[in-house]
Amino acid sequence: MKRQSVISWLTIFCGILLCVIAPFGAPNAQTNNPAAQGSQGEGTAPVSGEASAKRAAQEPHSAQEPKSTGQKAASQKLAEEQFKNIQALKGIPADQLIPAMQFISASLGVDCEFCHVHDKMDSDDKKPKKTARQMITMMLDIDKNNFDGRLEVTCYSCHRGASKPVSIPAIEDEETAGPGAPGKKPVENPALPKPEELLDKYLAAAGGAGAVEKITSRVQKGTLMAFGGQSFPAEVYSKAPDKRVSVMHFQGGDSVTAFDGQRGWLSVPGRPAHMMSASKNESARLDADLHFSVHVKTLYPKFKVESGEKIDGHDTYLVEGREEGRPPLRLYFDIQTGLLVRLVRYAQSPLGLNPTQIDYADYREADGVKVPFRWTVSRPGNRFTIQAEEMKQNVSVDDAKFTPPGPAQEPGTPPSAQKPPSKK
């Protein structure tokens, strides 16, 4: 594994926790709030991206921001007020700097040191950092002048996961060419069911509204498998309507992610609890909904259905929730069982969308509801699996579990202002 600072590892842990918390606690699946045009997602960048984000938080990369992130709450600090040597991303909220770094890392397939000097993130000694500023300015100018400021052209449009942009078309043979290639007949979609039919089937497969709404709490214990095959114990406590805390037992101490019904927070060994940003709170609130299969129809005003891809040998339908000015939510349902087998969400950043994909498996029935006991979280450059081994429902869960210990740091606190953890 590449050299990474303590802060990088803490960021990785936090990103994992943020994704672990939802599937562990959800009764049938997680309701991630994706982002095709403006959302957030907890920990939605790859491992390298999250490392870059925390470490590169001392120097952003953009000259202007899209309209969706340009609004700033009166009490919220700007990036240049919170971090050092901010030149390109002036004017964005401080808590949007890390997602922007995540997006760059994922789009170029690079880590922090590609642009930044190790442990001197504000330094301008590396040429790629100066180039990045110019490229981001160019990208945002293209979107401003041609797409009314919408992020239609992004870093990924040209780079496609490579540090150098791809400028020459690839040669493909007839078998690998897509349906729109010359000489290929377009594939006709069969008649598709209506969105409400699939969402109703999902609710029925999950156990029905009556059974799902009877679940008032859930306690799960299992294993997180990540970091080259390493395993870590994990516990999740959920309480209706919207409280959840996830505890990962790492070698250096416990890492915790929680939502108390109003705000989310997380902590890692040796550091004070850190409050989530407003956008992350929205996702955390949805993740904490024990009755997601009942409420999913109300999350978006419009849903559309498409033929889904084959997932783990199962044919699927794709149901996508859409709303103007808001990111979409993609839900893949098993055609046979109706259960949710994949969820794709997107985290909004000032430069583009950071994707997270969650695949659900090993559904088991408990107290009349179907619950996935295994799920795999995938991002660009990062993949890990959670396997639940024990689960109890409708048991007593103390509200104190969801309260952050001691004073908590507000979102956007620079890493340099936080006490470094022990390197045990």
Side-chain angles (χ1 to χ4, degrees):
M1 181 173 289
K2 294 182 179 180
R3 174 175 56 110
Q4 299 199 7
S5 67
V6 172
I7 292 174
S8 300
W9 275 104
L10 294 174
T11 308
I12 295 170
F13 290 161
C14 293
I16 288 178
L17 294 178
L18 290 166
C19 283
V20 165
I21 191 172
F24 240 140
N28 28 34
Q30 161 193 3
T31 168
N32 300 302
N33 187 345
Q37 288 298 327
S39 151
Q40 81 82 41
E42 304 288 65
T44 50
V47 169
S48 59
E50 291 176 357
S52 298
K54 280 286 186 184
R55 294 160 57 188
Q58 305 201 6
E59 201 321 290
H61 283 317
S62 173
Q64 52 183 319
E65 59 169 347
K67 295 177 182 177
S68 60
T69 57
Q71 303 286 326
K72 168 185 171 286
S75 61
Q76 188 173 16
K77 285 189 175 182
L78 297 177
E80 62 268 28
E81 297 172 332
Q82 189 73 63
F83 302 104
K84 297 179 180 178
N85 195 14
I86 301 301
Q87 295 185 25
L89 282 176
K90 287 183 178 178
I92 69 166
D95 62 12
Q96 283 294 301
L97 190 60
I98 289 173
M101 298 297 100
Q102 294 171 343
F103 185 80
I104 292 171
S105 178
S107 296
L108 276 68
V110 298
D111 208 334
C112 313
E113 281 83 7
F114 185 78
C115 289
H116 296 278
V117 177
H118 182 64
D119 287 338
K120 293 176 61 180
M121 310 308 290
D122 57 328
S123 170
D124 289 341
D125 289 347
K126 286 196 172 183
K127 183 178 179 180
K129 178 195 276 192
K130 300 174 183 178
T131 302
R133 288 174 176 151
Q134 296 171 349
M135 294 298 99
I136 293 164
T137 300
M138 177 188 71
M139 180 202 93
L140 293 173
D141 281 344
I142 291 173
D143 286 324
K144 178 181 178 181
N145 296 327
N146 297 276
F147 301 104
D148 297 323
R150 300 189 308 274
L151 291 175
E152 300 288 348
V153 174
T154 70
C155 307
Y156 190 76
S157 300
C158 295
H159 283 270
R160 302 282 173 171
S163 59
K164 293 185 178 181
V166 178
S167 58
I168 301 174
I171 297 175
E172 296 180 295
D173 59 32
E174 185 177 346
E175 293 185 1
T176 60
K184 301 269 292 187
K185 293 183 178 180
V187 178
E188 295 184 4
N189 285 331
L192 297 172
K194 295 180 179 180
E196 54 269 23
E197 294 175 357
L198 294 176
L199 296 177
D200 287 342
K201 184 176 181 179
Y202 166 46
L203 176 57
V212 171
E213 291 176 334
K214 286 181 181 177
I215 304 301
T216 59
S217 67
R218 177 174 292 140
V219 176
Q220 289 181 284
K221 297 182 179 181
T223 303
L224 163 70
M225 292 166 282
F227 309 129
Q230 296 186 61
S231 301
F232 304 93
E235 300 172 6
V236 174
Y237 300 84
S238 304
K239 187 173 184 178
D242 53 6
K243 295 181 179 180
R244 178 170 297 140
V245 60
S246 172
V247 183
M248 302 296 113
H249 300 290
F250 295 114
Q251 292 180 352
D254 292 346
S255 292
V256 181
T257 303
F259 187 77
D260 64 6
Q262 297 296 324
R263 294 193 66 183
W265 58 274
L266 54 90
S267 66
V268 290
R271 295 178 182 272
H274 189 90
M275 303 306 296
M276 294 182 188
S277 65
S279 58
K280 291 180 180 180
N281 278 328
E282 182 181 354
S283 251
R285 186 187 303 276
L286 290 173
D287 293 346
D289 185 0
L290 280 179
H291 308 151
F292 170 62
S293 57
V294 177
H295 301 149
V296 62
K297 292 174 70 174
T298 67
L299 297 180
Y300 286 81
K302 294 181 181 179
F303 289 91
K304 75 169 187 175
V305 177
E306 296 180 1
S307 295
E309 55 194 280
K310 190 178 287 289
I311 299 174
D312 196 22
H314 300 272
D315 293 323
T316 65
Y317 287 123
L318 166 61
V319 178
E320 183 175 271
R322 290 196 167 197
E323 184 175 6
E324 184 67 26
R326 190 181 163 208
L329 174 63
R330 295 187 173 187
L331 305 169
Y332 292 81
F333 296 104
D334 188 315
I335 289 179
Q336 298 299 320
T337 67
L339 290 169
L340 182 67
V341 293
R342 174 172 292 171
L343 181 151
V344 182
R345 69 182 182 190
Y346 306 86
Q348 182 74 44
S349 83
L351 304 180
L353 300 170
N354 291 312
T356 294
Q357 173 181 298
I358 305 178
D359 290 339
Y360 302 97
D362 192 14
Y363 273 88
R364 305 181 195 178
E365 184 172 342
D367 301 310
V369 299
K370 289 285 186 69
V371 182
F373 271 58
R374 183 174 69 252
W375 53 94
T376 299
V377 180
S378 304
R379 314 184 194 101
N382 178 24
R383 180 183 177 94
F384 58 88
T385 297
I386 306 297
Q387 179 69 53
E389 296 151 5
E390 301 177 28
M391 186 180 76
K392 295 180 181 180
Q393 298 186 124
N394 298 331
V395 294
S396 177
V397 178
D398 190 349
D399 283 342
K401 284 187 174 294
F402 310 101
T403 304
Q409 299 274 0
E410 288 301 311
T413 302
S416 59
Q418 301 176 7
K419 178 184 176 182
S422 169
K423 294 185 179 181
K424 291 182 179 180

